[in-house]
Amino acid sequence: MIDKIKEEKARWEKETYEKSTSKVPERLPEFTTVSNQSIEKLYTPDDIKHLDYFKDLGFPGEYPYTRGVQPTMYRGRLWTMRQFAGLGTAEDTNQRFKYLINHGETGLSTAFDMPTLMGYDSDSPMSRGEVGKCGVAIDTLKDMEILFSGIDLSKVTTSMTINPPASILLAMYICVAEKQNVGMDKIGGTIQNDMLKEFIAQKTFMLPPEPSIKLIVDTVEFCTNHVPKWNTISISGYHIREAGSTAVQELAFTLADGIGYVQACIDRGMDVDSFAPRLSFFFNSHIDFFEEIAKYRAARRIWSKVMKERFKAKNPKSWMLRFHTQTAGCSLTAQQPYNNVVRTAFQGLSAVLGGTQSLHTNSLDEVLALPTEHSVTIALRTQQIIAEEIGVTNTIDPLAGSYFVESLTNKMEEAAMYYINKIDELGGILKAIELGFPQQEIADAAYKYQEQIDKEEKIVVGVNRYQMDNEPPIETLKIDPEVERKQLERLKKIKAERDNAKVTDRLGKLKEAAEKNENVMPYLIDAVREYASLQEICDVFRNVYGTFRDPAMF
């Protein structure tokens, strides 16, 4: 049968296709994905002739999870609609959280300002002019108490996009729950807590790689024993893609990071099946519709094989790759920003067709500023329309069996495994980062894509084609400078009113634990409970472990 199809395809190309193109030539000299993967004119069973349904696809909720990690997928429960939110003070973001919940959001997602991300208090000279600008300012437990005021932490899950100080924010969240009489065994959510991708792409770092990984393993170990519903790492390809990687590089480097974390936990002495079920992933949904769907399907298949075959995990939950998706911020344009609504809708749809567990859809104005309530409502409604109106949730993995999608999934897996094997040959992901391998690969890909845009080999509507003159401005959200003054005032009051002798004692015990290489999580909880500030704790870590500066490779 395959030989007959191959023979007939060759005939069709010669007798029908070539005859047609002699009259109407192909529009482009080559057709490629946005990541530059070559796309054939037609796909047939010949392109997936080696595909074994039971080995390569299987059924939803069963190994190798290509078709989804849950048996019922969206027929049972929709993905979590988790709009990223954070602005100004804790009061401002609390108000935005409640607005989103009232409009149908089903999970919270927290964006922090740059000082918080970097481990500095709002009163640090390093923070001047940045307080509350790109997210919410969090200095002490008091800010976290206000952030979640009136929100029952036993009934919501919360994602926190934080990396160097992730363990500190987790400790604060645990203490807020404690004040609500919610035990740490009852809270659910995710901390990003992914420092490897920071060294590769996003570049918000504080400590050198080795102690950074140590703190991450501390959180995994502590949560495995005490916070069983918490996702201890959100292994993130999102920022790798935002830095300019291809889809294959995003997939490969993200999974390589995951392999690095699993190995670090095993080296600590943890059983793989004790922690692996609570690992989660975070992917970008870029603009090439089918490439993204193939990426998610390949990700599940690769990870299941890695966990089962490489790490010998026995629990099927350890084989599952569960992931959150955010639509591609880097694909949004300042030019003709209402076009971003359309881009986001297609990107959200590809994430759903790819089987995501939760989703953030970007707002049309995020390329210009933090989103307004109006624009974030449109972004949330985009998810709700996908969920409720267009029928794509009625059946599971509806594109399975497509010659094109299955072929692209196979190519994605093969290309990603090439990178993963290369990283293994270099000595693992930490060594590869030290050598600058993933950083250079991403830089080269970003340069090539920009070159293609400049030459109009890739089209971005409104940017290098279909431009408009005199575009009317849109309303954007501006953070009042008064935010910084209010935050400094609150921090000053907290530092004056807390029991500073207890704070000093708790910080001293934390320092001693860090020096003895103990798990620091219990000491962090004790310190934040006494309102030790974020920077005071981070300064302990800086003192014990040193700081990191990017070697800046050219």
Side-chain angles (χ1 to χ4, degrees):
M1 179 67 171
I2 294 295
D3 288 342
K4 177 66 173 174
I5 290 170
K6 194 172 182 179
E7 180 184 317
E8 282 298 302
K9 182 184 175 185
R11 179 201 59 75
W12 170 82
E13 286 180 333
K14 186 172 182 61
E15 295 179 7
T16 304
Y17 194 79
E18 288 182 11
K19 182 179 179 182
S20 179
T21 54
S22 67
K23 298 176 182 177
V24 184
E26 289 187 334
R27 294 181 295 106
L28 301 171
E30 184 182 14
F31 288 80
T32 61
T33 68
V34 75
S35 296
N36 237 36
Q37 290 197 74
S38 181
I39 300 299
E40 300 297 325
K41 63 175 71 71
L42 185 73
Y43 289 80
T44 71
D46 183 47
D47 294 287
I48 55 171
K49 61 187 175 186
H50 299 301
L51 190 75
D52 182 317
Y53 183 87
F54 296 104
K55 178 184 173 186
D56 300 320
L57 295 181
F59 292 94
E62 296 181 0
Y63 184 86
Y65 302 101
T66 311
R67 303 201 65 185
V69 293
Q70 300 298 338
T72 58
M73 287 303 289
Y74 309 134
R75 285 171 69 100
R77 187 175 70 181
L78 295 171
W79 61 92
T80 303
M81 298 181 191
R82 195 184 297 281
Q83 290 300 121
F84 199 33
L87 65 155
T89 64
E91 289 92 343
D92 298 327
T93 301
N94 177 264
Q95 184 179 341
R96 177 63 66 88
F97 279 167
K98 290 174 178 174
Y99 175 87
L100 288 167
I101 290 169
N102 289 337
H103 283 76
E105 177 173 275
T106 54
L108 302 178
S109 183
T110 316
F112 299 96
D113 71 358
M114 189 56 69
T116 306
L117 292 174
M118 299 298 290
Y120 291 103
D121 287 344
S122 297
D123 60 2
S124 167
M126 298 288 286
S127 305
R128 198 163 294 147
E130 291 294 335
V131 175
K133 287 292 177 68
C134 69
V136 61
I138 300 293
D139 294 316
T140 70
L141 177 59
K142 184 64 177 175
D143 294 316
M144 287 289 274
E145 291 168 5
I146 295 167
L147 183 63
F148 294 103
S149 175
I151 298 172
D152 186 344
L153 298 191
S154 69
K155 294 181 178 177
V156 298
T157 59
T158 303
S159 173
M160 294 187 281
T161 303
I162 193 80
N163 293 288
S167 53
I168 304 167
L169 271 296
L170 173 59
M172 289 182 181
Y173 194 84
I174 288 169
C175 288
V176 172
E178 179 182 85
K179 287 175 178 287
Q180 293 186 4
N181 295 315
V182 178
M184 66 176 80
D185 60 329
K186 300 290 193 298
I187 58 173
T190 306
I191 40 172
Q192 192 159 99
N193 205 21
D194 177 3
M195 283 307 302
L196 289 175
K197 63 90 179 173
E198 295 295 330
F199 296 117
I200 292 172
Q202 196 177 26
K203 311 298 185 182
T204 61
F205 31 61
M206 179 172 71
L207 309 176
E210 295 279 353
S212 295
I213 301 303
K214 186 266 182 200
L215 291 181
I216 291 168
V217 177
D218 282 359
T219 61
V220 175
E221 184 178 52
F222 181 84
C223 290
T224 298
N225 295 326
H226 302 289
V227 199
K229 296 181 179 180
W230 198 265
N231 297 320
T232 49
I233 318 177
S234 176
I235 305 161
S236 176
Y238 184 84
H239 307 96
I240 291 171
R241 193 65 178 280
E242 292 288 292
S245 80
T246 65
V248 166
Q249 289 167 348
E250 177 196 356
L251 174 59
F253 299 152
T254 304
L255 298 188
D257 287 349
I259 289 168
Y261 291 128
V262 171
Q263 189 60 58
C265 290
I266 290 172
D267 292 345
R268 174 71 66 92
M270 299 178 69
D271 177 77
V272 66
D273 285 317
S274 72
F275 67 87
R278 298 315 303 179
L279 300 178
S280 64
F281 289 79
F282 175 21
F283 288 111
N284 193 297
S285 188
H286 213 283
I287 199 66
D288 194 298
F289 190 72
F290 291 107
E291 182 173 57
E292 295 304 292
I293 294 166
K295 179 183 74 181
Y296 307 131
R297 299 173 85 250
R300 284 193 293 271
R301 190 156 71 202
I302 295 170
W303 189 248
S304 68
K305 292 177 183 177
V306 165
M307 294 308 293
K308 187 176 184 181
E309 297 171 11
R310 178 171 180 157
F311 290 113
K312 310 302 180 186
K314 296 178 174 59
N315 184 351
K317 290 185 177 179
S318 299
W319 308 335
M320 296 180 185
L321 183 145
R322 298 169 301 114
F323 68 99
H324 169 72
T325 311
Q326 181 174 338
T327 57
C330 62
S331 74
L332 304 183
T333 64
Q335 300 92 331
Q336 302 176 34
Y338 288 105
N339 294 345
N340 295 330
V341 176
V342 182
R343 293 186 176 100
T344 294
F346 284 120
Q347 291 166 5
L349 180 57
S350 68
V352 169
L353 289 173
T356 193
Q357 275 60 68
S358 72
L359 178 61
H360 164 91
T361 36
N362 286 329
S363 299
L364 67 96
D365 52 357
E366 284 189 51
V367 70
L368 299 167
L370 293 174
T372 63
E373 284 190 353
H374 174 67
S375 65
V376 81
T377 303
I378 293 172
L380 180 58
R381 293 288 181 260
T382 300
Q383 293 201 47
Q384 292 162 341
I385 290 168
I386 293 171
E388 306 288 358
E389 294 190 22
I390 64 175
V392 295
T393 61
N394 292 339
T395 191
I396 303 165
D397 193 24
L399 294 180
S402 158
Y403 307 134
F404 177 40
V405 170
E406 297 297 1
S407 177
L408 203 52
T409 302
N410 292 344
K411 283 175 64 177
M412 193 74 70
E413 179 179 11
E414 183 180 346
M417 286 307 303
Y418 169 83
Y419 270 121
I420 290 169
N421 292 334
K422 173 73 173 175
I423 288 168
D424 284 341
E425 290 170 10
L426 292 173
I429 189 62
L430 270 178
K431 185 64 176 177
I433 291 169
E434 182 184 317
L435 294 170
F437 173 67
Q439 299 96 307
Q440 189 62 58
E441 290 291 302
I442 293 168
D444 290 345
Y447 179 84
K448 183 168 186 177
Y449 182 61
Q450 186 60 52
E451 192 175 44
Q452 289 175 316
I453 290 173
D454 293 342
K455 293 179 179 177
E456 293 191 31
E457 294 170 359
K458 299 286 186 190
I459 302 304
V460 180
V461 172
V463 175
N464 62 355
R465 192 172 292 180
Y466 314 115
Q467 299 97 327
M468 292 173 61
D469 296 325
N470 303 317
E471 292 182 48
I474 66 169
E475 181 184 348
T476 57
L477 177 66
K478 291 181 172 59
I479 302 299
D480 192 328
E482 183 72 3
V483 162
E484 186 164 340
R485 187 194 65 76
K486 287 181 179 178
Q487 189 67 19
L488 293 177
E489 196 175 85
R490 175 155 62 222
L491 180 56
K492 183 179 179 180
K493 188 171 186 287
I494 289 292
K495 287 181 175 179
E497 294 179 352
R498 68 190 182 179
D499 187 332
N500 281 292
K502 282 187 177 179
V503 171
T504 300
D505 176 71
R506 301 301 186 267
L507 292 174
K509 288 178 178 174
L510 173 64
K511 183 174 185 288
E512 189 177 328
E515 289 172 337
K516 290 181 178 179
N517 208 34
E518 294 181 41
N519 189 312
V520 299
M521 278 303 301
Y523 301 94
L524 286 175
I525 293 169
D526 286 345
V528 303
R529 193 183 281 127
E530 299 300 333
Y531 296 89
S533 75
L534 181 82
Q535 182 171 342
E536 288 169 337
I537 295 170
C538 287
D539 283 346
V540 170
F541 291 151
R542 292 181 182 104
N543 180 265
V544 173
Y545 299 123
T547 56
F548 179 79
R549 289 187 180 277
D550 193 353
M553 297 158 186
F554 295 96

